[in-house]
Amino acid sequence: MLALLTSRWAVYGAGLPLTDSLYLLVVSLSYYAIRRGSRGGWALTLALLFGPLAKESFVFLVPWLFWFGRPSLPWFKQLLALLAGSAALLAVHNWVDAQTGATTSQAVSNAFEHFENLAYSVRRAASPKGIGELLSIFGFFTLVPAFALWLQHPRHGVAQPSIFARFGPPEMGLAAVVAVHMLLSGDLGRMGYLFAPAFCVLLALCFTHWRRLTGR
């Protein structure tokens, strides 16, 4: 929780009129549901209901949810929740468009304009400034998994199962989804913060492993 709340992007998201807070809640509910299994159906339902309202790029999270969320909620129930969320999105869009005089085509074109950020994001990620932005997401906490991996090296005599064994396909899939968000938005750090739920779990595993090694 300390790593989550001390990130510069927590302050950024809380202090500006962005939808990031709602979307982070959606991602957190999704990850919780997937790792909770059959007892996480309620969380997955809420994620599918609020996801379309939170961000257009939720569409990239849906395949991950449908695949890894099956133990929590069957596909047909996931689809029903997603349809309800999409209907709410259309209702809100129609109301906003009616109030502002905007057309639906403007909103759609604005969403597709994000694809123009791909080349810019790749160049930025490869630059010193971009690397610094990525490291700024969790600051010095970023070094903890690297240190834990170093401790796992055979020369240190660690004869215990790797902590990364429990950090499997769901987390790797979420990392890929977050990477797509980062590339499309151009804000590497802000979108990288969406990986916070899984990263904080990894931190907890690292600290638990360290306590096991030291006996503290």
Side-chain angles (χ1 to χ4, degrees), residues 6 26 42 46 69 73 78 90 93 96 106-107 109 111 114 116 122 131 133 141 151 157 168 182 190 194 205 209:
T6 57
V26 168
W42 65 271
L46 289 177
L73 204 66
Q78 289 192 51
L90 290 175
H93 260 294
V96 171
Q106 287 177 303
S109 62
H114 285 79
E116 299 175 3
V122 171
I131 294 173
E133 183 178 344
F141 287 103
L151 284 177
M182 294 165 68
R190 184 166 67 91
L194 292 173
L205 291 172
H209 185 71

Side-chain angles (χ1 to χ4, degrees), residues 23-192:
Y23 196 53
L24 183 61
L25 175 62
V26 168
V27 175
S28 301
L29 286 170
S30 302
Y31 182 62
Y32 173 85
I34 286 172
R35 277 307 186 183
R36 194 66 174 168
S38 59
R39 289 175 290 182
W42 65 271
L44 187 54
T45 301
L46 289 177
L48 290 166
L49 286 173
F50 290 111
L53 284 168
K55 210 172 187 66
E56 294 92 339
S57 51
F58 176 72
V59 66
F60 298 109
L61 194 67
V62 170
W64 178 75
L65 285 175
F66 271 37
W67 182 256
F68 291 108
R70 289 172 298 167
S72 302
L73 204 66
W75 271 342
F76 76 94
K77 290 186 177 179
Q78 289 192 51
L79 185 59
L80 288 176
L82 181 61
L83 289 174
S86 301
L89 172 66
L90 290 175
V92 170
H93 260 294
N94 288 334
W95 182 81
V96 171
D97 291 345
Q99 300 301 312
T100 61
T103 61
T104 304
S105 60
Q106 287 177 303
V108 173
S109 62
N110 179 64
F112 279 99
E113 283 175 2
H114 285 79
F115 285 96
E116 299 175 3
N117 292 327
L118 287 172
Y120 166 78
S121 298
V122 171
R123 291 195 303 270
R124 184 177 178 83
S127 69
K129 185 176 181 180
I131 294 173
E133 183 178 344
L134 292 174
L135 293 175
S136 77
I137 300 175
F138 298 109
F140 287 108
F141 287 103
T142 308
L143 302 176
V144 173
F147 181 65
L149 187 61
W150 177 76
L151 284 177
Q152 293 281 181
H153 197 280
R155 69 168 177 266
H156 295 106
V158 179
Q160 299 187 33
S162 172
I163 58 172
F164 296 94
R166 299 178 64 182
F167 209 69
E171 288 78 15
M172 296 302 102
L174 180 59
V177 173
V178 171
V180 171
H181 283 70
M182 294 165 68
L183 291 174
L184 290 177
S185 72
D187 291 332
L188 302 178
R190 184 166 67 91
M191 290 294 102

